[in-house]
Amino acid sequence: MPVTRFAPSPTGRLHLGHAYSARVTRELAGGGTFLLRFEDIDHTRIRPEFYAGIEQDLHWLGLNWSGEPLRQSDRLDAYTTALEQLRQQGTIYPCFCTRREIQAELGAMAAAPQGPEGPLYPGTCRGLSSQQTRARLDSGDLPAWRLDSTKAAAITGPLSFADEHHGTIAIDPDLLGDVVLSRKDIATSYHLAVVVDDAFQGIDLVTRGEDLLPSTHVHRLLQALLGLPEPRYHHHRLITDEQGRRLAKRHDSLAIATLRERGLSPEELWERIGL
Ligand code: GLU
């Protein structure tokens, strides 16, 4: 019996895209378990009222989850432990670059490394010596921690993941480059927290939108490095607006709460997104 999860960030109310994702996730759980997880590590963007708002949206849609929702903000110790494991392994390195420095470095390169969502980190801090790192730390500079994707891939060897929708996908460890696993202001990142929590919650079928396919390359690598089980994946199609743009928090008019207030029923809402 599958264990699935719906993992919204409480940075806004749910919109039609979330409704689609939650419903697909609920249906794929079948007679198994459907869990709710709040991805709320970014305290600069979350708002307390959205936890209850999201729960209300899901109840109204008839999508009920098992047990208490997990909050990632309660799990920071687990992420620190995982990061420490990677540090011992030598697969992460401290990065002191500011956003502006990274932009400048990329601008000066003849061929900046490109990923599916734009330029990748140029690797500036990868080569810092331990003396240079110590000097920066001693002067009070706070680092982010980045995955050393080359070292990581050398340890894990070739990897792939199984996606119910897209088949078997061989991972490209460099697809997103040396991603941040622990931010300067938040001692973790989306990638690290997701991988640690999917294992913690026993998720064996990860369902989410196709926009996160590139992230799965990083997640599979992290699972292998941390010795965590490999879930199956189902990356579903995305719901778009009339212009074909992916739905985002800016689409207030397509928020479930707004549509409900306008008198739409859950059935009409499902029909609108082709379900
Ligand atoms: N929190 C992410 C989002 O709201 C979902 C991440 C995931 O399902 O892995 O887009």
Side-chain angles (χ1 to χ4, degrees):
M1 286 294 188
V3 181
T4 67
R5 84 310 192 268
F6 177 58
S9 294
T11 54
R13 292 294 288 260
L14 301 185
H15 56 57
L16 285 180
H18 293 115
Y20 180 80
S21 193
R23 165 116 180 225
V24 167
T25 305
R26 178 72 201 89
E27 284 183 359
L28 289 173
T33 310
F34 171 63
L35 300 175
L36 176 61
R37 179 167 83 219
F38 284 114
E39 304 215 318
D40 60 350
I41 53 174
D42 190 346
H43 52 79
T44 63
R45 293 180 57 230
I46 62 155
R47 295 236 309 267
E49 64 270 28
F50 292 136
Y51 294 94
I54 288 173
E55 292 190 5
Q56 199 185 343
D57 293 342
L58 288 171
H59 282 312
W60 183 73
L61 291 168
L63 301 172
N64 299 313
W65 58 93
S66 302
E68 276 298 302
L70 188 78
R71 290 188 181 200
Q72 290 193 321
S73 55
D74 289 334
R75 302 258 312 136
L76 298 179
D77 288 349
Y79 312 141
T80 304
T81 304
L83 200 73
E84 187 51 37
Q85 199 178 332
L86 298 172
R87 196 175 295 139
Q88 304 271 337
Q89 221 169 44
T91 46
I92 54 174
Y93 61 88
C95 170
F96 298 93
C97 294
T98 61
R99 217 167 274 199
R100 188 174 296 181
E101 284 166 345
I102 295 173
Q103 288 306 332
E105 172 118 11
L106 288 169
M109 291 173 91
Q114 288 292 328
E117 284 139 23
L120 302 178
Y121 179 64
T124 322
C125 287
R126 195 191 296 135
L128 287 184
S129 67
S130 43
Q131 289 91 323
Q132 286 170 313
T133 301
R134 179 100 330 262
R136 297 291 298 255
L137 292 173
D138 287 348
S139 70
D141 282 357
L142 209 60
W145 287 83
R146 288 184 181 273
L147 176 70
D148 188 327
S149 56
T150 310
K151 245 190 210 169
I155 291 178
T156 65
L159 293 168
S160 61
F161 60 91
D163 189 294
E164 292 186 342
H165 213 212
H166 299 264
T168 300
I169 300 183
I171 80 148
D172 173 358
D174 299 322
L175 188 66
L176 296 184
D178 289 356
V179 289
V180 170
L181 297 185
S182 170
R183 284 166 47 167
K184 289 182 188 184
D185 58 337
I186 299 169
T188 184
S189 71
Y190 161 66
H191 298 300
L192 186 65
V194 160
V195 162
V196 169
D197 285 343
D198 282 340
F200 175 70
Q201 295 188 284
I203 306 298
D204 52 17
L205 178 60
V206 172
T207 59
R208 55 189 180 198
E210 279 169 356
D211 53 329
L212 289 169
L213 260 174
S215 295
T216 306
H217 291 245
V218 176
H219 298 177
R220 186 67 202 98
L221 197 59
L222 289 175
Q223 286 152 5
L225 291 174
L226 294 166
L228 300 174
E230 174 191 355
R232 287 174 300 133
Y233 288 88
H234 182 107
H235 290 89
H236 58 70
R237 72 179 171 94
L238 299 177
I239 301 295
T240 53
D241 66 8
E242 277 96 26
Q243 283 82 47
R245 292 179 308 171
R246 189 169 104 197
L247 297 190
K249 301 261 150 74
R250 66 173 178 272
H251 290 85
D252 269 353
S253 59
L254 299 180
I256 311 297
T258 313
L259 297 172
R260 182 177 62 218
E261 275 155 28
R262 286 207 203 120
L264 212 74
S265 69
E267 292 69 33
E268 287 164 326
L269 183 146
W270 295 128
E271 208 167 296
R272 193 156 161 179
I273 49 180
L275 288 171

